[in-house]
Amino acid sequence: MAGDDEGAKTEPAHDRSLHQRIRADLEERILSGAWSPGHRIPFEHELMAQYGCARMTVNRVLSGLVEAGLIERRRRAGSFVRRPAGQSAVLRIPDVKAEVLSRGETYGYELISGTRRKATRDDRARIAVAAGAPLLALLCRHVADGRPYALEDRLIALDSVPEAADADFATELPGTWLLGHVPWHEAEHNISAAPADARTAARLDVPVGTACLVMERRTWRSGQPITAVRLWYPGDRQKLVARFTPSTAAGR
Amino acid sequence: MAGDDEGAKTEPAHDRSLHQRIRADLEERILSGAWSPGHRIPFEHELMAQYGCARMTVNRVLSGLVEAGLIERRRRAGSFVRRPAGQSAVLRIPDVKAEVLSRGETYGYELISGTRRKATRDDRARIAVAAGAPLLALLCRHVADGRPYALEDRLIALDSVPEAADADFATELPGTWLLGHVPWHEAEHNISAAPADARTAARLDVPVGTACLVMERRTWRSGQPITAVRLWYPGDRQKLVARFTPSTAAGR
DNA sequence: GAGTGGTCTAGACCACTTC
DNA sequence: AAGTGGTCTAGACCACTCA
C-alpha cells in the first residue's frame, strides 16, 4: 500500500533521506569519473530495483541531476552523463562588507559624495533610464583595517526607487539599503581591469595607474533599471572572488 | 483514481507542465516584490486547492524554490520568502575559445613553450603537488582576429594525468584536451588585476604595466590536483565575464 | 496536541523517440 | 510498436515545532 515500506523506510533517520543517498551515490560516480561523459546511467526501473524504491523517488533524483547539469535525459534512449560545459564555472561574489569581514579585518565605510542630478549622456551609458531622468549619484569608500579597500561609484534611478532620495547613505550602505527596499531583482555583472585614474588613485591611496579590478553591476526589477554600481579594487592588494564548482549548475 | 485528472491534465500540452506554471506563478510574485522577504506564502494545502492538484505537485514546486534559494520552509510555521543573500551573484566564465567566437571574432591559438620539469617552490604555491613531482608547464597565446587576446600560463600535474606528457598541445588546446581526459572535476577560481610585466606585455603586444585581468583556476579530481592555469587578459581591451542572476541559487 | 513540511508509494496516462 | 522519461495522483507515515 501507499506509505508503507519494505526495507527502505524502516530506517529513515539513519543518515539522510533515501533520495539524498541515491543522489550522492550517483553524483559520486559521475564526479569521480567512474561514469564518464556519454555513459548511459541505469534506467529508472533498474534504479528502482537497485534501491528498492518507487519510481517517483529515483525520478526525483534524476530530475535534480538534470537541473544541476550533470546528466541529460532522452526519451526512449535513457539518461547520460553530460560533458562539462566547456571551461565554464559558477562563481559567487560576496558583497564588500561580508568580504572584508570574512577576511577577518575590520570594516569601515565612508560616503564621499552624494548628489542628485538629471541623467547625462555618460550616465545613460551605465544605466538605462530616460534622458534627464533623476538620478542619485553616490561615491563611497569601503575601508578594511583602516586602509581603503574599494571605491564604490553608484547611480540610483530615482524614478524606480524614489525613497532613495530620503535615505541617509552617510550611515547606511547603499547596497544594503537597496536590498531592504527593493527585495528581489535581476543583476548583470561585468568584470574588467583598468588603471586607476588620478581621482580614483587618490581616493584609494594608491599610485596613479595602479591596476584595479573593476566590477560593474547593473540591477533591474521587472525591467526597470534600479541601480548601476562600479566597484574599484586595487588589484595589487588582494583578489576578489574564489569559488569552487562541483557542477555546472545554473545552466537552466 | 491515480493517473486521472479533473481539469488540470485534460490540457497538458497547453503550454508548460502544471508544476512549471505553478513555479512561474510563485516566482513572479516573489521576484516582482508582490511577496516581499519574510512574507508567508500559502500552505501546501492552500496551493493544492488553488491549483486543484495533489500535494506532491505543489511540494515539488516549493522544494525547487528552496533549492533556488528563493524561499525557506519551517515545519509547523510555513514557507517564507527569503531575503536575497547579500549582494551575492552567480557568474559564469566561458572558456577562452568560446568567448572569442561568441564575440564574432576569429579564434587562433599558439603554443609558445611546453616544458617538463620537477615542481619548484614557486610551482607548488600554485599547484599542490609533492616537491619534485613531475609537471608540464605550458605557455600559450589565444588570438582573436589576429591580435593577442589572452596569455595562458598552465601547469599540469603529470602524476595525476600522465597521458598529458604525450599530448600534442601545439595543435590541441590544453583546456579542451583536459576536458576530454579528466571528465569531471572541481575547480577554484581567483580573479585579480595586475600590471603586465615585461615578458607578459611583449607576448600580449601591450605596453609594460598595462592593467590586466588575471584569472587563476585550480582544478582537482577527487582531491588530486590536476592543473593550475593563469589567464592574462589585457584589461584595457575588453572584459571577462557577464552574467545575470535571477536567484541566489547554488546556495546548496 | 495539532498542524506543518519531508518523504515515500504504487499506480496511472501521456509524449516522444527510437526501433 | 515498444520502451523511455515526464508528469500527476491520492493517499500514507513520520519528524518537528509551535501553541
Side-chain angles (χ1 to χ4, degrees):
Chain A
M1 311 88 182
D4 74 351
D5 50 290
E6 285 117 1
K9 246 177 68 188
T10 45
E11 37 198 350
H14 245 355
D15 220 350
R16 298 163 293 179
S17 62
L18 177 55
H19 74 264
Q20 283 175 330
R21 267 178 291 144
I22 301 178
R23 166 94 180 228
D25 267 16
L26 301 186
E27 268 189 356
E28 201 280 329
R29 282 194 180 78
I30 295 172
L31 294 175
S32 74
W35 288 345
S36 29
H39 181 269
R40 207 213 77 224
I41 75 178
F43 296 124
E44 294 191 346
H45 68 261
E46 294 174 322
L47 291 172
M48 283 173 62
Q50 284 178 34
Y51 290 97
C53 65
R55 194 177 144 224
M56 258 304 253
T57 306
V58 300
N59 185 289
R60 176 175 176 175
V61 171
L62 296 177
S63 299
L65 292 177
V66 168
E67 208 171 337
L70 284 176
I71 66 170
E72 57 189 348
R73 316 190 68 186
R74 292 198 304 275
R75 313 196 126 128
R76 174 72 212 224
S79 306
F80 302 85
V81 176
R82 263 185 42 163
R83 197 166 306 278
Q87 272 296 2
S88 77
V90 182
L91 303 199
R92 170 177 285 163
I93 299 186
D95 75 80
V96 183
K97 181 175 182 181
E99 195 178 344
V100 170
L101 294 178
S102 77
R103 296 158 60 90
E105 304 179 358
T106 64
Y107 174 77
Y109 162 78
E110 301 162 10
L111 177 65
I112 297 172
S113 69
T115 59
R116 187 183 170 136
R117 65 169 180 246
K118 297 204 175 299
T120 66
R121 185 186 185 78
D122 282 352
D123 291 337
R124 294 176 62 214
R126 293 177 57 191
I127 189 168
V129 295
L135 290 181
L136 192 57
L138 302 173
L139 203 58
C140 331
R141 179 162 41 208
H142 300 271
V143 181
D145 276 352
R147 296 178 311 175
Y149 182 82
L151 192 65
E152 174 172 338
D153 173 10
R154 184 186 289 271
L155 299 175
I156 299 177
L158 288 174
D159 278 345
S160 304
V161 200
E163 320 92 275
D166 303 320
D168 178 15
F169 293 119
T171 59
E172 197 161 15
L173 293 178
T176 307
W177 185 91
L178 282 167
L179 268 182
H181 291 73
V182 186
W184 278 97
H185 48 250
E186 303 166 29
E188 182 187 283
H189 296 74
N190 199 320
I191 296 179
S192 60
D197 59 70
R199 287 200 326 177
T200 303
R203 285 163 179 152
L204 284 173
D205 196 19
V206 296
V208 172
T210 296
C212 289
L213 196 63
V214 183
M215 211 203 59
E216 186 157 20
R217 172 166 47 223
R218 281 182 278 195
T219 300
W220 295 268
R221 151 101 169 267
S222 326
Q224 289 289 314
I226 301 290
T227 187
V229 57
R230 273 201 197 119
L231 284 162
W232 291 72
Y233 297 83
D236 64 322
R237 177 132 49 221
Q238 223 51 329
K239 325 304 161 240
L240 176 58
V241 279
R243 193 61 186 168
F244 88 116
T245 153
S247 78
T248 320
R252 19 177 313 231
Chain B
M1 314 83 186
D4 75 351
D5 50 290
E6 284 115 4
K9 247 178 69 188
T10 46
E11 36 200 349
H14 245 355
D15 220 352
R16 298 163 295 181
S17 61
L18 176 55
H19 75 265
Q20 282 175 331
R21 268 179 290 144
I22 301 178
R23 166 96 181 226
D25 269 14
L26 302 186
E27 268 188 356
E28 201 281 328
R29 283 191 179 79
I30 295 171
L31 294 175
S32 73
W35 289 344
S36 29
H39 181 269
R40 207 213 78 225
I41 76 177
F43 296 125
E44 293 192 345
H45 64 81
E46 294 174 321
L47 291 172
M48 283 172 62
Q50 283 178 33
Y51 290 99
C53 64
R55 187 159 88 94
M56 257 304 257
T57 307
V58 300
N59 184 290
R60 174 175 177 174
V61 171
L62 296 177
S63 300
L65 291 176
V66 168
E67 208 171 338
L70 284 175
I71 67 171
E72 56 189 349
R73 317 189 70 186
R74 292 197 303 274
R75 321 201 122 136
R76 173 73 208 215
S79 306
F80 302 86
V81 177
R82 264 185 42 163
R83 198 165 303 280
Q87 273 295 4
S88 76
V90 183
L91 304 199
R92 171 178 285 164
I93 300 185
D95 75 79
V96 183
K97 182 175 181 179
E99 196 178 344
V100 170
L101 293 178
S102 76
R103 296 159 60 90
E105 303 178 359
T106 62
Y107 174 78
Y109 161 78
E110 301 161 9
L111 176 64
I112 297 173
S113 68
T115 58
R116 186 181 172 138
R117 65 169 180 245
K118 297 204 175 298
T120 67
R121 185 183 186 82
D122 283 352
D123 291 337
R124 293 178 62 214
R126 293 176 57 190
I127 189 168
V129 295
L135 290 181
L136 192 59
L138 302 173
L139 202 57
C140 332
R141 179 163 40 209
H142 300 271
V143 180
D145 276 353
R147 296 178 312 174
Y149 181 83
L151 193 64
E152 175 172 337
D153 174 10
R154 184 186 288 270
L155 299 176
I156 299 176
L158 288 175
D159 279 344
S160 304
V161 199
E163 321 91 276
D166 303 320
D168 178 15
F169 292 120
T171 59
E172 197 160 14
L173 293 178
T176 307
W177 185 92
L178 282 168
L179 267 182
H181 291 74
V182 186
W184 279 96
H185 48 251
E186 303 165 28
E188 183 187 282
H189 296 74
N190 197 320
I191 296 178
S192 60
D197 60 69
R199 286 201 325 178
T200 304
R203 284 162 180 153
L204 284 173
D205 196 19
V206 295
V208 173
T210 295
C212 289
L213 196 62
V214 183
M215 211 203 60
E216 186 158 20
R217 173 167 46 223
R218 281 181 279 196
T219 301
W220 295 269
R221 152 99 169 269
S222 324
Q224 289 289 315
I226 301 291
T227 187
V229 57
R230 273 201 198 118
L231 284 161
W232 291 72
Y233 297 83
D236 63 323
R237 176 131 49 216
Q238 74 294 320
K239 332 303 160 248
L240 176 57
V241 277
R243 192 61 186 168
F244 88 115
T245 153
S247 77
T248 320
R252 25 171 312 225

